[in-house]
Amino acid sequence: MEKFVIRGGKPLVGEVTISGAKNAAVAILPATILAADKCVIENLPCISDVAASVDILTAMGASVRVIDKHTLEVDTTHVTQTSVPDALSRAMRASYYFLGALLGRFGKATVAMPGGCNLGPRPIDQHLKAFSTLGAKDSVEYGMISVEADKLRGGEVFFDTVSVGATINAMLAAVMADGLTVLENVAKEPHIVDVANFLNTMGADVRGAGTDVIKIRGVRSMHGGTYSIIPDQIEAGTYMVAATITGGNILIKNVIPKHLEPITSKLEKAGATIEEFDDAVRVYRTVDIEPLNIKTMPHPGFPTDMQPLMTVLLTRARGTSIVTEGIWENRFRYVDELVHMGANIQVDGRVAVIEGVPELFPAPMRAPDLRAGAALILAALAAKGTSEVDDISHVERGYEDIVEKLRGVGADIRRVGKPEHALPQAL
Ligand code: EPZ
């Protein structure tokens, strides 16, 4: 098994370039099915979740041509399969986007039920509510969920919970439904807007993405085109915290500063200085880390995916911080690892109380999930001495070239052991 060996304790200084947004990529790749044509997707992050999406597309009958490390041409003209093979759909939680995309094009789809995940239960009732409003029936057999409609017709959906996945899946199913679909109480994350922009580039008529109400006028058919994915705001936030916790100075390039505002405002309160440029931010810290209260919320609130990273930062604050997880039931599983490093954190349900300590000590650690894995790497970089982070396949689901990028800003980090999952050569 592979692990990262990290010798921490020095400020990270230099430049890093942010990759395309994972959570946009894993929705846009399935969405190419709706085009029934050639789509060129640029700025794809080279991560294992993208590789898993490509494997599914290929299994469904799409031809995928690698143009360069971050660009694929996906031709979905000859997709005929509507059932995603069980093993492939279980390889990635976001495989549920194939439900909306296949339903939208063929009127039917079968995908493995997303199980509970290591953040807590992962219900899809809101996805199914939207499909049902559009006229689809669903059934579950042997752990596979099927949806089917004679004809999809537009309708009004009021989501009971603000859900990124349900908002995107509803858009995918509705773009070619008859008539008008109105989605209310939708998610507003930058990747929702990115998926809507992609769909519009391919001929759809989606309006209002980024606000609480999205209106979709069904079109008869869609077509191919070229689209470039937005930069990953959570990857950018990760390097922003890396600069802050190590007292370093990093120029973070290829970002949209507006998308980073919820993160920027908290980091500035914690003592970071952030300079914004057109498509870059510089982050450095010259003063002590101040304690904060944070509650994670749907966009434009503070993103849940940054929660473990901020908790790590606050272990070094001079005072008491409170971090409340507003989205997932079980997102503090990494805290025990931090306690082994000397952090002082008490967790009660969805609330963590963090008493800052002057120092973290190196330790062997295990990444319980993607963002927590990245957070433990930052903790190791802040601790003087050598730490190890195990189970790194979680991290590689969502961070392109994390070792190379961290080394580029002066980190002493190396990967040892045999890879568990080989990344395909181009992705
Ligand atoms: C997306 O998951 C992201 N994943 C997650 O990022 C992220 O944490 C999450 O949005 C919140 O921002 C992808 O985009 C692939 P939700 P998603 O539906 O869409 C409840 C990462 O690290 N809910 O917005 O699955 C649900 O239980 C990952 O990159 C229902 O009750 O999240 C949760 O409490 C981890 N019924 C809340 O809504 C439903 O039908 C938000 O979930 C759907 C969701």
PDB file of all heavy atoms in Angstrom, residues 230-251:
ATOM      1  N   ILE A 230     -14.119  24.849 -14.845  1.00  0.00           N
ATOM      2  CA  ILE A 230     -13.609  25.873 -13.908  1.00  0.00           C
ATOM      3  C   ILE A 230     -12.524  25.286 -12.983  1.00  0.00           C
ATOM      4  O   ILE A 230     -12.473  24.075 -12.785  1.00  0.00           O
ATOM      5  CB  ILE A 230     -14.740  26.457 -13.007  1.00  0.00           C
ATOM      6  CG1 ILE A 230     -15.539  25.324 -12.325  1.00  0.00           C
ATOM      7  CG2 ILE A 230     -15.609  27.413 -13.751  1.00  0.00           C
ATOM      8  CD1 ILE A 230     -16.408  25.777 -11.184  1.00  0.00           C
ATOM      9  N   PRO A 231     -11.701  26.163 -12.404  1.00  0.00           N
ATOM     10  CA  PRO A 231     -10.699  25.682 -11.443  1.00  0.00           C
ATOM     11  C   PRO A 231     -11.358  25.170 -10.159  1.00  0.00           C
ATOM     12  O   PRO A 231     -12.466  25.578  -9.812  1.00  0.00           O
ATOM     13  CB  PRO A 231      -9.870  26.935 -11.133  1.00  0.00           C
ATOM     14  CG  PRO A 231     -10.278  27.972 -12.115  1.00  0.00           C
ATOM     15  CD  PRO A 231     -11.626  27.610 -12.632  1.00  0.00           C
ATOM     16  N   ASP A 232     -10.658  24.288  -9.473  1.00  0.00           N
ATOM     17  CA  ASP A 232     -11.198  23.632  -8.275  1.00  0.00           C
ATOM     18  C   ASP A 232     -11.024  24.537  -7.053  1.00  0.00           C
ATOM     19  O   ASP A 232      -9.909  24.786  -6.603  1.00  0.00           O
ATOM     20  CB  ASP A 232     -10.472  22.300  -8.051  1.00  0.00           C
ATOM     21  CG  ASP A 232     -11.220  21.410  -7.082  1.00  0.00           C
ATOM     22  OD1 ASP A 232     -11.491  21.857  -5.948  1.00  0.00           O
ATOM     23  OD2 ASP A 232     -11.552  20.279  -7.460  1.00  0.00           O
ATOM     24  N   GLN A 233     -12.151  25.002  -6.525  1.00  0.00           N
ATOM     25  CA  GLN A 233     -12.061  25.960  -5.420  1.00  0.00           C
ATOM     26  C   GLN A 233     -11.552  25.275  -4.146  1.00  0.00           C
ATOM     27  O   GLN A 233     -10.878  25.908  -3.313  1.00  0.00           O
ATOM     28  CB  GLN A 233     -13.428  26.650  -5.218  1.00  0.00           C
ATOM     29  CG  GLN A 233     -14.195  26.267  -4.013  1.00  0.00           C
ATOM     30  CD  GLN A 233     -15.676  26.009  -4.283  1.00  0.00           C
ATOM     31  OE1 GLN A 233     -16.059  25.279  -5.188  1.00  0.00           O
ATOM     32  NE2 GLN A 233     -16.514  26.597  -3.482  1.00  0.00           N
ATOM     33  N   ILE A 234     -11.815  23.973  -3.980  1.00  0.00           N
ATOM     34  CA  ILE A 234     -11.364  23.300  -2.745  1.00  0.00           C
ATOM     35  C   ILE A 234      -9.867  22.988  -2.833  1.00  0.00           C
ATOM     36  O   ILE A 234      -9.148  23.104  -1.833  1.00  0.00           O
ATOM     37  CB  ILE A 234     -12.187  22.019  -2.474  1.00  0.00           C
ATOM     38  CG1 ILE A 234     -13.699  22.332  -2.469  1.00  0.00           C
ATOM     39  CG2 ILE A 234     -11.752  21.373  -1.151  1.00  0.00           C
ATOM     40  CD1 ILE A 234     -14.155  23.337  -1.417  1.00  0.00           C
ATOM     41  N   GLU A 235      -9.391  22.634  -4.025  1.00  0.00           N
ATOM     42  CA  GLU A 235      -7.936  22.435  -4.157  1.00  0.00           C
ATOM     43  C   GLU A 235      -7.229  23.772  -3.867  1.00  0.00           C
ATOM     44  O   GLU A 235      -6.236  23.817  -3.140  1.00  0.00           O
ATOM     45  CB  GLU A 235      -7.566  21.936  -5.560  1.00  0.00           C
ATOM     46  CG  GLU A 235      -6.096  21.514  -5.624  1.00  0.00           C
ATOM     47  CD  GLU A 235      -5.536  21.378  -7.035  1.00  0.00           C
ATOM     48  OE1 GLU A 235      -6.162  21.825  -8.007  1.00  0.00           O
ATOM     49  OE2 GLU A 235      -4.419  20.835  -7.132  1.00  0.00           O
ATOM     50  N   ALA A 236      -7.782  24.865  -4.413  1.00  0.00           N
ATOM     51  CA  ALA A 236      -7.185  26.185  -4.152  1.00  0.00           C
ATOM     52  C   ALA A 236      -7.201  26.471  -2.649  1.00  0.00           C
ATOM     53  O   ALA A 236      -6.190  26.896  -2.064  1.00  0.00           O
ATOM     54  CB  ALA A 236      -7.950  27.267  -4.911  1.00  0.00           C
ATOM     55  N   GLY A 237      -8.341  26.208  -2.010  1.00  0.00           N
ATOM     56  CA  GLY A 237      -8.471  26.450  -0.563  1.00  0.00           C
ATOM     57  C   GLY A 237      -7.456  25.628   0.223  1.00  0.00           C
ATOM     58  O   GLY A 237      -6.924  26.078   1.248  1.00  0.00           O
ATOM     59  N   THR A 238      -7.166  24.430  -0.257  1.00  0.00           N
ATOM     60  CA  THR A 238      -6.198  23.558   0.428  1.00  0.00           C
ATOM     61  C   THR A 238      -4.815  24.219   0.442  1.00  0.00           C
ATOM     62  O   THR A 238      -4.136  24.262   1.478  1.00  0.00           O
ATOM     63  CB  THR A 238      -6.149  22.185  -0.291  1.00  0.00           C
ATOM     64  OG1 THR A 238      -7.464  21.629  -0.275  1.00  0.00           O
ATOM     65  CG2 THR A 238      -5.171  21.244   0.382  1.00  0.00           C
ATOM     66  N   TYR A 239      -4.399  24.753  -0.713  1.00  0.00           N
ATOM     67  CA  TYR A 239      -3.073  25.410  -0.748  1.00  0.00           C
ATOM     68  C   TYR A 239      -3.099  26.749   0.001  1.00  0.00           C
ATOM     69  O   TYR A 239      -2.069  27.187   0.535  1.00  0.00           O
ATOM     70  CB  TYR A 239      -2.592  25.559  -2.201  1.00  0.00           C
ATOM     71  CG  TYR A 239      -2.241  24.189  -2.782  1.00  0.00           C
ATOM     72  CD1 TYR A 239      -3.136  23.495  -3.584  1.00  0.00           C
ATOM     73  CD2 TYR A 239      -1.039  23.577  -2.456  1.00  0.00           C
ATOM     74  CE1 TYR A 239      -2.834  22.216  -4.076  1.00  0.00           C
ATOM     75  CE2 TYR A 239      -0.723  22.303  -2.932  1.00  0.00           C
ATOM     76  CZ  TYR A 239      -1.627  21.634  -3.738  1.00  0.00           C
ATOM     77  OH  TYR A 239      -1.327  20.374  -4.195  1.00  0.00           O
ATOM     78  N   MET A 240      -4.269  27.388   0.077  1.00  0.00           N
ATOM     79  CA  MET A 240      -4.372  28.619   0.876  1.00  0.00           C
ATOM     80  C   MET A 240      -4.133  28.291   2.350  1.00  0.00           C
ATOM     81  O   MET A 240      -3.421  29.004   3.068  1.00  0.00           O
ATOM     82  CB  MET A 240      -5.757  29.264   0.682  1.00  0.00           C
ATOM     83  CG  MET A 240      -5.962  29.819  -0.724  1.00  0.00           C
ATOM     84  SD  MET A 240      -7.677  30.282  -1.053  1.00  0.00           S
ATOM     85  CE  MET A 240      -7.735  31.924  -0.305  1.00  0.00           C
ATOM     86  N   VAL A 241      -4.718  27.177   2.816  1.00  0.00           N
ATOM     87  CA  VAL A 241      -4.503  26.781   4.215  1.00  0.00           C
ATOM     88  C   VAL A 241      -3.049  26.336   4.407  1.00  0.00           C
ATOM     89  O   VAL A 241      -2.427  26.618   5.446  1.00  0.00           O
ATOM     90  CB  VAL A 241      -5.491  25.665   4.633  1.00  0.00           C
ATOM     91  CG1 VAL A 241      -5.169  25.151   6.025  1.00  0.00           C
ATOM     92  CG2 VAL A 241      -6.936  26.172   4.578  1.00  0.00           C
ATOM     93  N   ALA A 242      -2.485  25.678   3.388  1.00  0.00           N
ATOM     94  CA  ALA A 242      -1.082  25.227   3.504  1.00  0.00           C
ATOM     95  C   ALA A 242      -0.153  26.425   3.740  1.00  0.00           C
ATOM     96  O   ALA A 242       0.740  26.380   4.591  1.00  0.00           O
ATOM     97  CB  ALA A 242      -0.667  24.477   2.243  1.00  0.00           C
ATOM     98  N   ALA A 243      -0.391  27.518   2.989  1.00  0.00           N
ATOM     99  CA  ALA A 243       0.438  28.717   3.172  1.00  0.00           C
ATOM    100  C   ALA A 243       0.216  29.298   4.562  1.00  0.00           C
ATOM    101  O   ALA A 243       1.163  29.712   5.247  1.00  0.00           O
ATOM    102  CB  ALA A 243       0.088  29.755   2.103  1.00  0.00           C
ATOM    103  N   THR A 244      -1.055  29.299   4.998  1.00  0.00           N
ATOM    104  CA  THR A 244      -1.378  29.943   6.280  1.00  0.00           C
ATOM    105  C   THR A 244      -0.809  29.150   7.449  1.00  0.00           C
ATOM    106  O   THR A 244      -0.165  29.704   8.346  1.00  0.00           O
ATOM    107  CB  THR A 244      -2.916  30.090   6.421  1.00  0.00           C
ATOM    108  OG1 THR A 244      -3.427  30.691   5.241  1.00  0.00           O
ATOM    109  CG2 THR A 244      -3.273  30.943   7.621  1.00  0.00           C
ATOM    110  N   ILE A 245      -1.034  27.837   7.451  1.00  0.00           N
ATOM    111  CA  ILE A 245      -0.624  27.071   8.640  1.00  0.00           C
ATOM    112  C   ILE A 245       0.895  27.014   8.758  1.00  0.00           C
ATOM    113  O   ILE A 245       1.443  27.016   9.869  1.00  0.00           O
ATOM    114  CB  ILE A 245      -1.245  25.645   8.658  1.00  0.00           C
ATOM    115  CG1 ILE A 245      -1.059  25.019  10.041  1.00  0.00           C
ATOM    116  CG2 ILE A 245      -0.698  24.741   7.567  1.00  0.00           C
ATOM    117  CD1 ILE A 245      -1.889  23.793  10.308  1.00  0.00           C
ATOM    118  N   THR A 246       1.616  27.002   7.638  1.00  0.00           N
ATOM    119  CA  THR A 246       3.086  26.908   7.738  1.00  0.00           C
ATOM    120  C   THR A 246       3.749  28.287   7.832  1.00  0.00           C
ATOM    121  O   THR A 246       4.973  28.371   7.891  1.00  0.00           O
ATOM    122  CB  THR A 246       3.685  26.143   6.523  1.00  0.00           C
ATOM    123  OG1 THR A 246       3.424  26.898   5.327  1.00  0.00           O
ATOM    124  CG2 THR A 246       3.106  24.745   6.381  1.00  0.00           C
ATOM    125  N   GLY A 247       2.924  29.346   7.817  1.00  0.00           N
ATOM    126  CA  GLY A 247       3.512  30.697   7.857  1.00  0.00           C
ATOM    127  C   GLY A 247       4.309  30.966   6.595  1.00  0.00           C
ATOM    128  O   GLY A 247       5.318  31.674   6.609  1.00  0.00           O
ATOM    129  N   GLY A 248       3.856  30.385   5.476  1.00  0.00           N
ATOM    130  CA  GLY A 248       4.577  30.519   4.215  1.00  0.00           C
ATOM    131  C   GLY A 248       4.024  31.636   3.354  1.00  0.00           C
ATOM    132  O   GLY A 248       3.366  32.585   3.848  1.00  0.00           O
ATOM    133  N   ASN A 249       4.255  31.505   2.035  1.00  0.00           N
ATOM    134  CA  ASN A 249       3.852  32.551   1.094  1.00  0.00           C
ATOM    135  C   ASN A 249       3.703  31.862  -0.269  1.00  0.00           C
ATOM    136  O   ASN A 249       4.687  31.509  -0.905  1.00  0.00           O
ATOM    137  CB  ASN A 249       4.934  33.639   1.064  1.00  0.00           C
ATOM    138  CG  ASN A 249       4.525  34.798   0.168  1.00  0.00           C
ATOM    139  OD1 ASN A 249       3.786  34.631  -0.803  1.00  0.00           O
ATOM    140  ND2 ASN A 249       5.017  35.980   0.508  1.00  0.00           N
ATOM    141  N   ILE A 250       2.454  31.619  -0.688  1.00  0.00           N
ATOM    142  CA  ILE A 250       2.224  30.865  -1.934  1.00  0.00           C
ATOM    143  C   ILE A 250       1.371  31.689  -2.883  1.00  0.00           C
ATOM    144  O   ILE A 250       0.326  32.226  -2.491  1.00  0.00           O
ATOM    145  CB  ILE A 250       1.531  29.503  -1.662  1.00  0.00           C
ATOM    146  CG1 ILE A 250       2.316  28.675  -0.633  1.00  0.00           C
ATOM    147  CG2 ILE A 250       1.395  28.703  -2.955  1.00  0.00           C
ATOM    148  CD1 ILE A 250       1.733  27.288  -0.343  1.00  0.00           C
ATOM    149  N   LEU A 251       1.826  31.744  -4.142  1.00  0.00           N
ATOM    150  CA  LEU A 251       1.017  32.330  -5.207  1.00  0.00           C
ATOM    151  C   LEU A 251       0.233  31.182  -5.831  1.00  0.00           C
ATOM    152  O   LEU A 251       0.823  30.238  -6.372  1.00  0.00           O
ATOM    153  CB  LEU A 251       1.914  33.007  -6.255  1.00  0.00           C
ATOM    154  CG  LEU A 251       1.138  33.646  -7.408  1.00  0.00           C
ATOM    155  CD1 LEU A 251       0.287  34.833  -6.928  1.00  0.00           C
ATOM    156  CD2 LEU A 251       2.082  34.110  -8.520  1.00  0.00           C
TER     157      LEU A 251
END
